[in-house]
Amino acid sequence: MYWFEYCPKHIESKYGLLVFKENQPFLPLTDYYHDCLGRIDKSSAISYLNCLLPFFKWLEKESNYQGKKVQWNDSEEKIRVVVEDYLMHEMKCKIRDKDTFRFINLTSKSPNTISRFLSALKSFYKAMIRLKQYPYSNPLVDAQAILHSYKDELKGVREDKPRMPSIAGTEEAIPHRRLTDSYFKIINEEWQPQIIDDIDLPYQVYQAGKKASWSLREMVIVRMLFETGARASEIIELTVGDYRQRKNQQEFITFNKGSHGRKIKFIRVSKDTIKRLFHYIETERKSLDSNHMNFEQLPDDAPIFLSANGTPLTYHAWYYHWNRAMKSNELSLNPHKARHWFVTSRLREIYNVAQNETEIHQRKNELIKYMKWKNPDTMNVYEHHFDETKHREAHEKMLEQMQQNEKDYIKQQQSSKKSKQKLSVVKSSAIENFDEDLKELLEGLE
């Protein structure tokens, strides 16, 4: 019912993206997306939009307030009621009343997108109020809690007198604490890095794609996911110029989460994947390109991956093919797991090849900088210290091993016809030699 499409290049419009509802433009979400641009990076705006689309569909079909459906622009009281229902029934959360707000307890059945959904919805209503399209207060903001906390912090030890400044030394300092104005407060959310230690995982996914009749485009993107550790959007939105700007024939430059579209990092793939990519560009992509250009003819700003309509491929369109393949092959796996798998594999390789603790520390730092886990602006100051050659050598060994593992996996499949393997998420006891280091490294993945 709700989906979005990018505006084709040959059409002039003030909107670079349109959200549709039943084949008609839906301007509230369209305006929201464009209001986000410049405030947050494009990939985050798309991520927020993807979180909101299912909610708006549910609002249209399932919402209920005193026997009536609720519209997105109803009063904050109605919106809070239906959001609470959505969290309980669709996202399997437990809700507890607390004065003027609600505590949210995540359960084992809750998806890992709840925090992002609440942030997106809060952001949506902020935008609608700013654009004068929502006449009420933000339903996702608990103004009373902030006001009460602020008053408590202003209250001093003297009756009816304000707190003395800290420098006076007459009153104990207030311990620092972060005040949140969210109406829905998640109280048991502690992100735990997932350690994916199944060396056959990429090849299980490749086989699943073959069974689902993936095109060459889908297969190239998935191979790049596992080989680079990049986010799906960082690969899907690559341009021809992103490849040409790197001297090495196996590398690309791309943006990073929080870099606001700036190309601040490089990713590296195997020679085999480069061959597959160029085969895609000269065959599938060329047939979809309105001008039928080959690689040499394409301008730098041309997207590498195209949709069936000849427009730039979007994450939303690509994910449809991923999800279909995973479901049909009974694999419970989202694309971000490839990033976790990459880090686990790289760290294992570091521990296998490093001669001493100093070398381990050095190689870990190289990996951290490759993944761009720190503040990008801060990391740019130290970028010249990053020896790309050392990472390249270690990465090449990993790619060679991946290709050998894939061959071994296929041979094993053909000879034994073994039953389908399930995704293996190894607990900390199985990799205790580098568990703490891995957890520290993985905290930057989300």
Side-chain angles (χ1 to χ4, degrees):
M1 178 178 289
Y2 288 88
W3 76 96
F4 65 85
E5 292 285 349
Y6 288 101
C7 179
K9 287 187 176 181
H10 65 277
I11 296 179
E12 291 188 11
S13 173
K14 69 175 183 178
Y15 294 118
L17 174 151
L18 275 176
V19 178
F20 292 90
K21 171 190 171 185
E22 294 179 343
N23 297 321
Q24 294 297 319
F26 186 70
L27 290 183
L29 284 175
T30 300
D31 289 336
Y32 164 66
Y33 168 79
H34 290 89
D35 183 72
C36 282
L37 300 180
R39 302 178 190 276
I40 58 177
D41 61 86
K42 182 181 176 182
S43 61
S44 295
I46 292 294
S47 177
Y48 276 10
L49 201 56
N50 280 322
C51 284
L52 292 175
L53 294 178
F55 172 72
F56 273 75
K57 178 181 178 181
W58 179 88
L59 201 63
E60 189 87 14
K61 296 292 186 181
E62 306 294 336
S63 66
N64 180 36
Y65 182 84
Q66 296 180 354
K68 296 181 180 179
K69 292 287 189 292
V70 175
Q71 304 296 317
W72 72 266
N73 55 355
D74 278 333
S75 68
E76 62 262 41
E77 178 188 357
K78 294 180 181 179
I79 298 299
R80 285 173 173 175
V81 169
V82 294
V83 170
E84 189 169 329
D85 286 345
Y86 185 74
L87 289 168
M88 286 192 297
H89 301 300
E90 296 298 313
M91 291 192 155
K92 312 302 179 185
C93 298
K94 293 183 179 179
I95 312 291
R96 182 155 54 92
D97 294 358
K98 182 66 176 179
D99 301 327
T100 61
F101 58 89
R102 299 291 182 269
F103 277 140
I104 310 298
N105 272 286
L106 309 186
T107 69
S108 59
K109 296 181 179 179
S110 300
N112 60 5
T113 56
I114 292 175
S115 179
R116 194 182 314 156
F117 162 69
L118 291 173
S119 295
L121 197 58
K122 184 178 179 181
S123 169
F124 169 77
Y125 280 105
K126 280 184 179 179
M128 293 298 99
I129 292 170
R130 185 163 48 242
L131 297 173
K132 302 187 184 305
Q133 296 186 33
Y134 187 70
Y136 306 101
S137 299
N138 192 327
L140 275 289
V141 169
D142 174 25
Q144 288 298 315
I146 284 290
L147 179 61
H148 293 159
S149 298
Y150 178 70
K151 286 180 177 179
D152 289 342
E153 293 200 358
L154 287 181
K155 190 183 299 182
V157 296
R158 300 171 299 161
E159 187 173 354
D160 298 325
K161 296 289 184 180
R163 173 176 292 276
M164 293 291 288
S166 299
I167 195 171
T170 58
E171 297 183 12
E172 292 185 10
I174 301 173
H176 173 74
R177 57 183 175 137
R178 183 182 177 187
L179 301 178
T180 173
D181 65 354
S182 296
Y183 179 78
F184 295 99
K185 306 179 196 294
I186 301 176
I187 61 176
N188 66 329
E189 181 185 43
E190 183 177 350
W191 185 75
Q192 293 293 330
Q194 293 178 306
I195 300 167
I196 311 298
D197 201 37
D198 185 347
I199 63 172
D200 290 336
L201 178 60
Y203 325 122
Q204 292 181 43
V205 173
Y206 302 163
Q207 291 296 320
K210 286 181 179 179
K211 292 178 181 178
S213 300
W214 273 355
S215 70
L216 185 55
R217 181 192 67 190
E218 273 68 60
M219 192 61 71
V220 168
I221 291 173
V222 168
R223 283 180 172 270
M224 293 178 75
L225 278 178
F226 281 105
E227 291 182 359
T228 66
R231 298 175 181 86
S233 60
E234 295 166 4
I235 293 172
I236 292 168
E237 297 179 30
L238 285 171
T239 66
V240 172
D242 294 338
Y243 178 72
R244 288 175 177 159
Q245 288 189 47
R246 295 295 295 183
K247 294 179 181 179
N248 191 286
Q249 294 182 347
Q250 295 171 240
E251 297 175 1
F252 304 77
I253 60 168
T254 187
F255 61 90
N256 189 56
K257 183 178 180 181
S259 71
H260 302 286
R262 290 179 295 120
K263 306 298 177 70
I264 65 170
K265 73 177 185 181
F266 82 96
I267 57 176
R268 190 166 187 275
V269 300
S270 68
K271 293 177 182 177
D272 180 61
T273 295
I274 288 294
K275 289 180 182 178
R276 292 170 185 261
L277 175 63
F278 271 87
H279 184 55
Y280 159 74
I281 291 174
E282 300 297 335
T283 55
E284 287 184 17
R285 191 199 183 285
K286 187 175 179 179
S287 67
L288 296 172
D289 182 13
S290 58
N291 297 313
H292 304 293
M293 292 182 177
N294 59 31
F295 177 78
E296 297 300 329
Q297 296 170 322
L298 289 169
D300 284 350
D301 63 352
I304 288 180
F305 300 106
L306 294 180
S307 70
N309 297 323
T311 56
L313 181 66
T314 66
Y315 177 88
H316 186 69
W318 171 81
Y319 182 77
Y320 166 80
H321 298 284
W322 168 281
N323 194 43
R324 182 170 56 85
M326 296 307 105
K327 284 186 175 180
S328 63
N329 288 274
E330 298 181 0
L331 284 172
S332 178
L333 191 70
N334 67 55
H336 206 67
K337 294 295 193 302
R339 189 164 161 85
H340 291 287
W341 182 91
F342 175 87
V343 175
T344 306
S345 299
R346 282 289 290 113
L347 192 59
R348 185 192 300 106
E349 188 70 20
I350 287 172
Y351 276 83
N352 286 339
V353 302
Q355 300 297 316
N356 50 54
E357 288 298 323
T358 300
E359 188 176 351
I360 289 175
H361 180 72
Q362 177 184 339
R363 290 180 180 272
K364 278 168 49 185
N365 283 337
E366 292 166 7
L367 178 58
I368 289 171
K369 292 170 185 176
Y370 170 78
M371 300 297 289
K372 292 292 183 189
W373 285 327
K374 302 295 184 181
N375 183 302
D377 295 328
T378 302
M379 282 307 304
N380 286 341
V381 178
Y382 302 98
E383 185 65 26
H384 63 281
H385 292 296
F386 177 27
D387 186 349
E388 294 181 358
T389 303
K390 290 182 179 179
H391 169 77
R392 190 173 291 125
E393 291 172 353
H395 190 204
E396 187 62 38
K397 291 181 180 179
M398 172 187 158
L399 295 177
E400 290 172 358
Q401 188 60 53
M402 282 182 67
Q403 290 184 17
Q404 184 59 47
N405 289 343
E406 180 178 4
K407 292 177 182 178
D408 293 343
Y409 177 78
I410 293 173
K411 287 181 180 178
Q412 189 178 17
Q413 287 271 310
Q414 293 173 344
S415 61
S416 63
K417 296 182 180 180
K418 62 182 181 180
S419 59
K420 296 178 181 177
Q421 297 182 6
K422 300 296 183 181
L423 173 62
S424 172
V425 178
V426 175
K427 302 301 181 182
S428 58
S429 59
I431 55 168
E432 57 187 357
N433 289 335
F434 61 93
D435 180 59
E436 291 304 317
D437 289 329
L438 181 56
K439 286 185 177 179
E440 179 183 346
L441 289 174
L442 286 170
E443 286 187 2
L445 282 176
E446 292 301 319

